């Protein structure tokens, strides 16, 4: 099964992705995590991407399309993948549509996670992240031990783009550049709308109702 997670910053893509990957054994591919790892390792890609990420803007399409082309061709995704944070623009969606047939892959479903903007601001400003990709929230989803990851025990950090100004810019970027993908994938008949507010486990239960059909 091949899945795209679509939704604004803070909608819970990363949170739900961990649970989906565990249950359905699909490979979780987060372009945000790939870029952050490149930033940490000061690669050429990381240095270029950081300017855009810190400002809450999208990294240029050409760089992301190369990343995805490479990643979807790796053997570990053959039994299924889940993209978290890609595509984010129409050219990225079209490029993916052109890459998949050559790899013998098709997109089964796009989970469109919907959360109102006011709630997103609250979620992002209180988020704490681990290098392993697990997200927490100081109030809504705290780790068992303050400041430490439940999964790997590493120290949690505050993302550079989870500051007020960058959050507002990321929301604007989402509405202008990514939201049009809802109509694009609706026309293709692959969208499933998920209400992303409320209890994390309840939202996952809604997601499983959709994914169990595949
Ligand atoms: P990326 O890392 O993808 O960030 P994002 O899309 O902004 O989304 P987030 O990771 O912030 O949110 P999320 O939906 O994963 O929410 P989470 O589960 O953590 O991208 C970062 C940057 O990289 C981009 O801005 C861009 O510059 C660049 N980039 C990446 N991909 C790109 C692409 N394809 N093209 C161009 N540029 C690209 O949850 C958020 C918080 O809410 C957490 O604290 C969590 O604990 C909490 N929470 C989750 N669910 C609930 C709930 N139900 N109730 C209460 N709290 C909840
Ligand atoms: Mg995320």
């Amino acid at each position: 099964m091949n899945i795209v997670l679509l939704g604004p910053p803070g909608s819970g893509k990363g949170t739900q992705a961990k649970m989906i990957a565990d249950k359905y054994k699909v490979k979780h591919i987060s372009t945000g995590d790939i870029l952050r790892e490149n930033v940490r390792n000061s690669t050429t890609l990381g240095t270029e991407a950081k300017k855009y990420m810190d400002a809450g803007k999208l990294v240029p399409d050409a760089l992301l399309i190369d990343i995805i082309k490479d990643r979807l061709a790796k053997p570990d995704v053959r039994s299924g993948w889940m993209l978290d944070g890609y595509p984010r623009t129409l050219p990225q969606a079209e490029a993916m549509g052109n890459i998949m047939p050559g790899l013998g892959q098709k997109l089964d479903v796009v989970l469109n996670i919907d959360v109102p903007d006011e709630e997103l601001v609250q979620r992002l400003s209180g988020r704490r992240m681990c290098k392993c990709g697990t997200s927490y929230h100081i109030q809504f989803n705290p780790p068992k031990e303050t400041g430490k990851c439940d999964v790997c025990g590493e120290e949690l950090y505050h993302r550079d783009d989870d500051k007020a100004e960058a959050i507002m810019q990321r929301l604007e970027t989402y509405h202008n550049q990514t939201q049009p993908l809802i109509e694009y994938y609706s026309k293709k008949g692959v969208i499933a709308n998920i209400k992303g507010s409320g209890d994390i486990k309840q939202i996952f239960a809604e997601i499983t109702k959709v994914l169990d059909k595949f």
Side-chain angles (χ1 to χ4, degrees):
M1 172 163 55
N2 297 323
I3 309 165
V4 160
L5 292 181
L6 191 64
S11 55
K13 300 184 294 297
T15 302
Q16 297 295 333
K18 293 268 164 204
M19 295 185 278
I20 297 170
D22 272 358
K23 182 167 165 78
Y24 296 94
K25 308 296 171 215
V26 289
K27 194 78 195 165
H28 176 202
I29 302 170
S30 156
T31 46
D33 288 348
I34 294 173
L35 292 170
R36 280 184 289 279
E37 199 188 335
N38 275 275
V39 171
R40 269 197 298 279
N41 296 331
S42 307
T43 65
T44 315
L45 169 65
T47 310
E48 174 67 8
K50 187 170 170 33
K51 307 183 274 204
Y52 298 97
M53 295 170 79
D54 287 354
K57 302 234 161 100
L58 293 182
V59 176
D61 284 339
L63 296 176
L64 268 297
I65 292 168
D66 278 350
I67 292 176
I68 283 302
K69 205 171 178 176
D70 244 46
R71 193 64 191 87
L72 295 188
K74 297 239 163 83
D76 65 339
V77 305
R78 276 191 205 138
S79 53
W81 44 252
M82 170 179 39
L83 293 177
D84 158 7
Y86 185 99
R88 266 176 143 100
T89 63
L90 286 168
Q92 289 183 19
E94 277 158 7
M96 189 175 97
N98 294 331
I99 292 165
M100 288 184 297
L103 296 168
Q105 298 172 357
K106 80 172 191 27
L107 174 59
D108 293 301
V109 62
V110 175
L111 297 173
N112 174 41
I113 309 180
D114 186 38
V115 177
D117 280 10
E118 313 80 73
E119 197 176 330
L120 297 171
V121 174
Q122 246 194 331
R123 286 189 188 187
L124 292 171
S125 41
R127 173 165 59 184
R128 295 296 178 270
M129 285 292 295
C130 178
K131 271 199 294 203
C132 76
T134 311
S135 328
Y136 299 89
H137 191 280
I138 46 174
Q139 187 187 346
F140 309 134
N141 184 26
K144 292 193 185 93
E145 190 183 337
T146 310
K148 288 240 158 64
C149 179
D150 294 348
V151 180
C152 66
E154 284 283 328
E155 204 75 31
L156 302 181
Y157 69 95
H158 197 188
R159 261 171 57 174
D160 284 342
D161 59 350
D162 279 348
K163 312 276 153 67
E165 206 175 302
I167 291 174
M168 297 320 287
Q169 178 59 55
R170 283 160 67 202
L171 289 176
E172 193 183 321
T173 303
Y174 168 78
H175 290 301
N176 292 337
Q177 291 180 266
T178 308
Q179 210 169 10
L181 291 178
I182 299 175
E183 198 190 334
Y184 175 85
Y185 283 121
S186 295
K187 284 191 183 145
K188 293 189 181 291
V190 291
I191 279 262
N193 291 307
I194 305 288
K195 185 173 165 286
S197 302
D199 182 62
I200 291 175
K201 291 205 174 74
Q202 193 54 48
I203 297 164
F204 181 60
E206 290 304 311
I207 290 176
T208 62
K209 280 188 203 157
V210 173
L211 296 184
D212 283 348
K213 292 182 198 141
F214 291 91

